[in-house]
Amino acid sequence: MLHELLLALLGYTGDLIIDEREHQTSIGIRLSPDAPISEEPTFKLAPDISFIEPSERDLIEKIITLGFYYRELDRFATNSRNLSWIRSANVSPLERAAELSKGKAGNPSVYRRAIANGIVEILSVYRSAVLHIEQRLLSDTMPILATVTQGLNKFFVLLPPLYELVLEIERDDICGGQLLNLLHKRCHCGVPELQACIQRLLWHGHQVMYNQLASWMVYGILQDQHGEFFIRRQEDRDVEHGASHSDISEKLVRLSTDDTSLTDWHLGFHIFLDMLPEHIHMRVAESILFAGKAVRVLRNPSAAFRFQDQQLTRGSQKVQGFTGRFLFQKEPFQDMKLIGEELLPQSEADKIEAMLQDLKESSEFHKRSFECAVDSIRAIAASHLWQLVVVRADLNGHLKALKDYFLLAKGDFFQCFLEESRQLMRLPPRQSTAEADLMVPFQLAAIKTIGEEDKYFSRVSLRMPSFGITVKSSQVDIPKAKAYMDGKSGTALSNAASEISLDGWDGIALEYSVDWPLHLFFTQEVLSKYCRVFQYLLRLKRTQMELEKSWASVMHQDHTDFAQHRNDRLNYSITQQRRQRFRPMWRVREHMAFLIRNLQFYIQVDVIESQWNVLQAHIQDSRDFTELVGFHQEYLSALISQSFLDIGSVSRILDSIMKLCLQFCWNLENQESSANTSELEHITEEFNKKSNSLYTILRSSRLAGSQRAPFLRRFLLRLNFNSFFEATARGVLNVVRPRPAVTVLNQQ
């Protein structure tokens, strides 16, 4: 009987101690290894045994539950440690994605295997205890049941909770970070022996996580065949969201043709929150993600960068002829490896690996030590990435080029471009040839103002997006536009043509070609912000130039008429009357120019130059790539906010004022038509209203406590340093004809 009991304690049932599940299925057939774990103990004494007292029966049935727990734990460990599911390393991402999409229950799990190894350790201790009991029973002359109870007493505390643990794992198909979460919660209990066992299982789970972290943060390789790590590839997320295999294959083809490291940086990897352990903070996970992506970039430089680097190296060694080129092409893989090691020295990789190894060897997971190690690794990766982007890729030179061309720091170039394209921009843009038409003045301006030493201009290209041209543009032909310029059309056509011209040419944009690895810094979002500021500044400069050109044109015409008719009393009198009629309009033009000049000076000097100096100071002081990205984002945000591009009420009024200024200039140069005079009066009245509204918003109490208030007050100080703007904005400009007082409009 005692031998039957000892065998049952190791999971082997017989005639005296039976498994109810086996008997219910078919007598004599062992339970299948793949059978699910039973939700309650099924080891019982055979019902036909009559020589055992009820008290002994109860005690034996209590003891043999340990055998049931042992067998179920052993079955779980055996199934989880089965190595038949390990896949070869050459499985393609598409095949793995197809398998993940099937959603099979009981997917293989590296974390479960690690936990199973810990369970095997605990079960080995249990088997040793059973063996020790057997030895004691054999040595005793009168073996008793109490010997078994006394020897296995501590396992009544350990095995039932472990059985409940694996039952929950199997039932809910828990794996990866979710399994670490479950173990971390179970660690908090009041039983020291059980807590030690759960901590040992958690240690085994963390070993897998540390191996994945080492692969990711030392080599930039994601070792996660079964989707258990909290860092995932983009195509895995596509599969989870139901993307078709054709979509995934197209994306993989695109990834293979593009620069992989850059694609990985922006789109390749993400944090999978479902697998992120709760004891790892989101900030720490983001640092892990960044460090791995940075290592991937440092270890995988692009072919163009390797070639450029090799050329620079050979140039410094004064290698002439074709010898050096042939040597470079002979062993490109070795060159890539050497450059990769130079970007991330082996000593630094060893340092990262040593930090993770120290964490791995610790018997317990210490959150503070883990976070400190991750922060240190992230700092190493960020520092070397900074060295690559700032020093070797000449970040500051590209920032200066963006400032020159997107922020109009090269004023002579854009002044020349606008002068060369002035007559072209008087006509509505043609959707099919607008970009090609602009290339002629663009190239002429470059020839006149850009020197050969400017190596960044070749990266700048002019674009005329089709969305910037309204449908009306294609409906207005060139003869009508010329008639408008000659003053032979009505006011309605004049308004339509000027509005189309303004809306159409406002679509002018610049593109900047960025090489590896500057795509990490100059993302598409960043370049779109630069383009937005450029379009605003170009429109402002164009308005300022038109105001100056109109004044020069009108004065030239006036002086010509005076010289021609000064001896002709009749024509001279007509000329004098026309001069008197349009003299107030010249004052209006000056008031417009005053506002536009001050706005332009404020943006170029008070905003762009001051923020540029702040950014340069940050670049000099910082040695961290992520800090630099943050400083640059602050720089762009400051440009947009201090230029009022994100304040709808102010930006709309300023846009309207620029539009009115352009219409005013085009009508002022055409002084022959009486309808034109009426249109000038209407523009003047609208300008007064907009000026009044602008002043009201700048002085509003709602903006007084805003974070933009200092910038608004600085602009207001430039406009109203002697109360001139305040006076003109309140209606002093209504000098064309008597009109009712204009109500102050607060357009917010």
Side-chain angles (χ1 to χ4, degrees), residues 321-585:
F322 294 92
T323 306
R325 188 178 305 171
F326 289 143
L327 288 174
F328 170 70
Q329 295 179 351
K330 189 175 181 180
E331 297 179 292
F333 179 77
Q334 291 185 2
D335 289 336
M336 181 185 73
K337 184 176 180 181
L338 291 174
I339 295 175
E341 290 181 356
E342 184 181 353
L343 296 178
L344 182 66
Q346 186 60 40
S347 60
E348 297 287 7
D350 294 340
K351 187 187 299 183
I352 295 174
E353 191 171 8
M355 293 182 190
L356 293 174
Q357 187 63 30
D358 291 341
L359 294 174
K360 187 176 180 180
E361 293 174 354
S362 177
S363 59
E364 294 183 15
F365 179 84
H366 297 285
K367 185 176 180 180
R368 184 175 180 83
S369 301
F370 179 79
E371 292 181 356
C372 289
V374 170
D375 289 341
S376 300
I377 294 171
R378 180 195 169 282
I380 292 173
S383 175
H384 286 281
L385 197 59
W386 177 92
Q387 182 75 17
L388 170 65
V389 173
V390 176
V391 179
R392 301 188 66 155
D394 188 21
L395 174 67
N396 214 30
H398 290 276
L399 285 172
K400 181 66 167 58
L402 287 170
K403 176 174 177 281
D404 287 343
Y405 296 108
F406 282 79
L407 305 183
L408 274 59
K410 280 190 176 294
D412 55 343
F413 168 75
F414 287 101
Q415 181 72 22
C416 185
F417 167 67
L418 289 174
E419 288 179 353
E420 294 288 346
S421 60
R422 185 172 178 239
Q423 294 303 320
L424 174 64
M425 290 188 183
R426 288 295 185 92
L427 306 174
R430 292 176 292 184
Q431 187 165 358
S432 58
T433 62
E435 186 173 312
D437 294 340
L438 281 174
M439 287 306 299
V440 175
F442 190 78
Q443 294 297 334
L444 285 174
I447 293 172
K448 292 180 179 180
T449 60
I450 304 298
E452 294 181 357
E453 69 279 0
D454 190 342
K455 60 182 180 180
Y456 301 102
F457 179 72
S458 60
R459 298 177 177 273
V460 180
S461 56
L462 188 69
R463 291 290 179 264
M464 188 69 185
S466 58
F467 59 80
I469 304 174
T470 60
V471 180
K472 293 181 181 178
S473 328
S474 60
Q475 298 173 354
V476 179
D477 53 14
I478 299 301
K480 287 185 180 179
K482 290 182 177 178
Y484 152 73
M485 291 181 63
D486 295 336
K488 298 177 182 178
S489 59
T491 306
L493 180 60
S494 171
N495 292 340
S498 61
E499 185 168 348
I500 290 170
S501 178
L502 180 68
D503 293 342
W505 295 114
D506 279 355
I508 297 176
L510 290 183
E511 285 186 1
Y512 192 78
S513 174
V514 180
D515 295 333
W516 190 95
L518 290 174
H519 282 89
L520 309 180
F521 194 86
F522 297 116
T523 64
Q524 195 59 43
E525 179 185 2
V526 167
L527 293 178
S528 66
K529 289 182 179 179
Y530 271 108
C531 189
R532 181 184 176 191
V533 177
F534 164 76
Q535 290 178 325
Y536 179 69
L537 292 178
L538 186 67
R539 190 162 66 249
L540 186 63
K541 188 168 187 65
R542 182 186 173 202
T543 304
Q544 180 252 345
M545 188 196 72
E546 286 292 340
L547 287 169
E548 292 177 354
K549 293 291 184 181
S550 66
W551 171 254
S553 175
V554 170
M555 288 298 101
H556 175 74
Q557 184 64 38
D558 183 72
H559 293 161
T560 302
D561 292 346
F562 177 78
Q564 291 177 351
H565 305 300
R566 60 182 176 180
N567 296 324
D568 186 346
R569 288 185 173 274
L570 179 61
N571 290 330
Y572 180 75
S573 175
I574 296 174
T575 301
Q576 285 295 100
Q577 292 177 5
R578 186 173 58 192
R579 292 179 66 185
Q580 292 297 326
R581 186 171 72 251
F582 281 95
R583 190 180 299 276
M585 296 305 169

Side-chain angles (χ1 to χ4, degrees), residues 248-281:
I248 298 172
S249 61
E250 290 176 5
K251 183 174 292 186
L252 290 175
V253 170
R254 189 169 65 252
L255 289 176
S256 63
T257 55
D258 293 339
D259 196 313
T260 307
S261 62
L262 298 177
T263 309
D264 287 348
W265 184 267
H266 298 299
L267 300 174
F269 299 95
H270 67 282
I271 296 176
F272 186 54
L273 296 178
D274 289 348
M275 289 299 173
L276 178 63
E278 294 179 357
H279 49 283
I280 296 180
H281 196 272

